[in-house]
Amino acid sequence: MRLRRPAGNRIPHLQPNWEGNRVTLTVLEPEGLYPDTIPEQEILGPGVRIIRGNAKSSIAELPDSMLAEVDGLMTLRMWVPAEQIARFPKLKVIVRMGVGYDRVDRAAAAARGITVCNLPDYGTQEVAEFAVLLALSLRRGLILYHDTQRGPDPAPWAVMQSPLHRRQEVQTFGILGLGRIGSAAALRAKAFGYRVVFYDPNQPNGWDRALGIQRVRSMDELLAQSDVLSIHCPLTRATRGLIGERELRLLPKNAVVVNTARGPILDIDAVERCLRDGHLAGAGLDVIPEEPPVEPIPALLRAYRDSEDWLRGRLVITPHIAFHTPEAWQDIRIKSIETMRDVLVEGRRTNVIPPESE
């Protein structure tokens, strides 16, 4: 009896190799993230083998003999450059186990006919909450009082005057990029009383009406009215360096900028200059241009680590952890393997990133 193939919008070159009721495919998880492969094997089915590597920092640590067998690659932290893609003679699908896909050389993958997928629907609540939390903790003085009440010489037990402190209802919360996380952040900021505006030329008309927020026609228009700017766009060729000193100085004086997306979207040296001369009141950064930072580290990070007085209460830097909850980690595991099953085994287009995308 022939097994009926699943219906759906298929990727032509990914039709599975059916042998009776089995599919003969191999999936590699190169980092050894989990103690077993039981959930992965259950989702993929008996005809798909999943193997784990023990790479610490790079796929280059794994032997050619292992990579020669691989049809599907799942990676969380590992970069997938062209020279590593060339080591996979059978590779058909790469699943980046996260929202951002800048770690994968998509041009090299497309040249080989390799499909690239991401994981757009994990950690949505966590990152959105963290972005709004960064804004609130700066704008309501939580960070300022935390910083100034510590140590042997605390500030006076009294209110402190700071341009950071504003009531939410008199501020505009500007969102750059209204995808899943940006939309979730918009709803949370709106619930706290902010007026919420966004700029995202890729969202269809009516998205603003569905969320009860306001759309603007240009990024400059967004910047000019954002007391808080929260960045939620992906890192692409078009968005790398998108927010530089010119853009930051379009923000109202004493604005706060928050970045939980990708570090290279925002010029961290421009942030340092705008904080130092007082144009920006504060900043909350979960991401920086190079992670983890290496010497010479950015001047802003150096001043932050040295607890320089001019930055006290005005800056929060966290190590790309906005997504982190046990629930999000479970989503990463399950949703990644479900995406691999859909695309590699069943030939669907779940979470496929078009090669022509920026």
Side-chain angles (χ1 to χ4, degrees):
M1 179 182 73
R2 293 178 63 83
L3 185 65
R4 179 176 296 176
R5 302 181 182 184
N9 185 10
R10 298 185 171 281
I11 303 174
H13 73 282
L14 294 182
Q15 296 308 307
N17 176 24
W18 296 91
E19 293 183 356
N21 290 339
R22 295 174 63 84
V23 183
T24 55
L25 297 165
T26 298
V27 172
L28 169 65
E29 190 274 281
E31 302 168 63
L33 295 169
Y34 305 107
D36 57 57
T37 60
I38 294 172
E40 289 82 359
Q41 198 63 70
E42 289 177 350
I43 291 169
L44 287 172
V48 182
R49 180 176 60 137
I50 181 159
I51 57 177
R52 295 189 301 155
N54 58 358
K56 303 302 181 186
S57 61
S58 172
I59 293 172
E61 301 167 29
L62 301 178
D64 289 338
S65 58
M66 175 183 288
L67 306 191
E69 305 176 37
V70 174
D71 301 279
L73 172 66
M74 296 170 39
T75 177
L76 178 64
R77 302 182 184 94
M78 302 293 176
W79 292 82
V80 190
E83 63 269 21
Q84 294 305 318
I85 291 175
R87 298 177 62 213
F88 290 85
K90 295 173 56 183
L91 191 59
K92 302 177 181 68
V93 178
I94 299 170
V95 172
R96 156 71 179 124
M97 301 167 72
V99 179
Y101 43 84
D102 50 291
R103 293 172 181 259
V104 180
D105 188 328
R106 291 184 298 119
R112 283 268 310 277
I114 297 167
T115 301
V116 177
C117 307
N118 71 336
L119 202 65
D121 57 342
Y122 94 94
T124 302
Q125 304 97 310
E126 286 87 351
V127 179
E129 289 161 2
F130 203 84
V132 177
L133 173 64
L134 285 172
L136 288 170
S137 62
L138 287 162
R139 277 300 190 199
R140 293 296 293 115
L142 176 63
I143 302 303
L144 177 65
Y145 291 108
H146 175 269
D147 284 357
T148 56
Q149 287 300 320
R150 302 176 72 202
D153 186 26
W157 195 260
V159 298
M160 299 179 69
Q161 298 301 318
S162 168
L164 279 166
H165 302 160
R166 299 287 306 283
R167 177 180 289 178
Q168 274 66 251
E169 291 175 357
V170 302
Q171 296 179 75
T172 295
F173 195 103
I175 295 179
L176 181 61
L178 201 76
R180 295 168 180 83
I181 295 172
S183 296
L187 292 174
R188 285 155 174 77
K190 181 182 172 185
F192 275 105
Y194 285 101
R195 170 179 174 262
V196 181
V197 300
F198 79 95
Y199 174 67
D200 188 336
N202 296 315
Q203 283 294 3
N205 291 332
W207 203 252
D208 48 334
R209 299 296 180 89
L211 297 179
I213 62 177
Q214 184 177 337
R215 181 176 212 142
V216 296
R217 298 181 62 191
S218 69
M219 189 172 71
D220 284 4
E221 186 181 349
L222 175 80
L223 296 171
Q225 58 188 298
S226 295
D227 301 291
V228 174
L229 174 67
S230 192
I231 300 171
H232 295 287
C233 49
L235 177 61
T236 67
R237 293 191 299 275
T239 63
R240 184 176 293 273
L242 183 64
I243 303 298
E245 186 163 354
R246 171 194 171 275
E247 289 73 27
L248 291 175
R249 295 198 182 278
L250 289 176
L251 294 168
K253 184 173 173 57
N254 296 322
V256 164
V257 62
V258 170
N259 189 7
T260 55
R262 284 292 186 270
I265 298 170
L266 176 65
D267 184 339
I268 194 171
D269 293 325
V271 174
E272 191 266 347
R273 292 190 291 272
C274 291
L275 282 169
R276 190 179 286 276
D277 69 17
H279 182 73
L280 290 178
L285 309 178
D286 184 53
V287 289
I288 61 175
E290 187 167 4
E291 299 173 359
V294 296
E295 295 290 348
I297 66 173
L300 183 63
L301 181 55
R302 175 65 66 197
Y304 182 70
R305 288 181 171 179
D306 290 344
S307 300
E308 294 185 10
D309 283 344
W310 67 278
L311 268 182
R312 291 215 300 177
R314 302 176 64 199
L315 178 65
V316 184
I317 296 179
T318 52
H320 204 148
I321 48 75
F323 75 95
H324 171 63
T325 63
E327 294 80 9
W329 280 103
Q330 181 67 6
D331 278 351
I332 289 172
R333 184 176 192 178
I334 300 304
K335 290 177 181 294
S336 294
I337 201 64
E338 287 176 341
T339 299
M340 182 63 75
R341 173 203 60 197
D342 287 1
V343 180
L344 180 66
V345 180
E346 299 183 356
R348 301 178 187 273
R349 295 196 60 84
T350 304
N351 300 332
V352 169
I353 304 298
E356 66 274 11
S357 176
E358 286 292 333

